[in-house]
Amino acid sequence: RLQFDDYFFEANKAKLLGNYGKAVEYLLQCNSIEANNATVAFMLAEIYYQKRVLADAEKWAQISVNQDAKNKWFLELLAKIQTDAYKFKQAAESYQKLCDLDPKEIDHYINWANVLIKDKKVEEAIKVFDLAEQRLGISDETTGNKEYL
């Protein structure tokens, strides 16, 4: 475990210094010691996402979510990556899970609806805004977006 901690510390240091290649090396070392550690996977996903290597970012984000499905930060990153990779169906599913996990956060509903709109599912997007109004009450954000559609 001590070696894992050393690599993890070095990975964080490298990431903070902007040396993402070195951070990835250390994080992969951590993963070889403790396979599929949720935090390590999340950090790898963040770095790959920042570098716009979406396939690797999605792979690691999915591992982090698989290890801790109730962590909203892990799920938010996965949903963003899926959206940027034009995987709208998967992104919609991730945003739906986020809305169930954190039902008071309006941004999750808006992002969910926006992904559905990008996927040309306007009627479903309107239903998402309706759901947001049921859970949170009527707001300018939901009403304005519904009227626009």
Side-chain angles (χ1 to χ4, degrees):
R1 180 69 188 173
L2 187 59
Q3 193 165 24
F4 176 92
D5 292 341
D6 288 343
Y7 284 132
F8 192 76
F9 174 79
E10 292 299 326
N12 275 304
K13 188 167 83 174
K15 186 178 173 196
L16 286 171
L17 294 173
N19 189 346
Y20 298 116
K22 205 68 169 156
V24 166
E25 286 178 34
Y26 286 122
L27 289 167
L28 290 174
Q29 287 294 328
C30 288
N31 191 65
S32 71
I33 294 168
E34 189 178 316
N36 299 329
N37 176 290
T39 304
V40 168
F42 178 73
M43 289 177 64
L44 282 163
E46 282 184 314
I47 292 169
Y48 284 123
Y49 183 56
Q50 191 166 16
K51 294 174 78 174
R52 306 305 293 164
V53 184
L54 297 180
D56 287 341
E58 184 179 12
K59 170 190 151 188
W60 289 105
Q62 188 64 63
I63 290 169
S64 69
V65 168
N66 290 347
Q67 295 301 315
D68 187 356
K70 300 226 182 279
N71 186 310
K72 79 173 198 166
W73 305 109
F74 295 175
L75 201 48
E76 281 178 356
L77 181 60
L78 178 61
K80 286 179 192 173
I81 293 166
Q82 290 166 330
T83 301
D84 287 0
Y86 300 98
K87 295 183 175 184
F88 300 130
K89 182 176 190 253
Q90 294 94 325
E93 291 169 4
S94 294
Y95 281 118
Q96 181 177 6
K97 289 175 186 172
L98 274 167
C99 289
D100 292 339
L101 254 176
D102 191 8
K104 301 286 185 210
E105 180 56 59
I106 187 70
D107 288 342
H108 299 325
Y109 297 93
I110 292 170
N111 290 332
W112 180 12
N114 284 337
V115 165
L116 290 169
I117 292 165
K118 288 177 183 178
D119 203 23
K120 311 234 183 311
K121 296 181 178 176
V122 175
E123 293 301 318
E124 286 183 46
I126 291 170
K127 289 177 185 173
V128 169
F129 288 127
D130 289 340
L131 178 63
E133 288 179 347
Q134 277 180 328
R135 290 181 177 175
L136 303 171
I138 295 174
S139 73
D140 291 340
E141 291 165 303
T142 55
T143 305
N145 280 311
K146 281 196 320 188
E147 286 176 5
Y148 177 75
L149 296 175

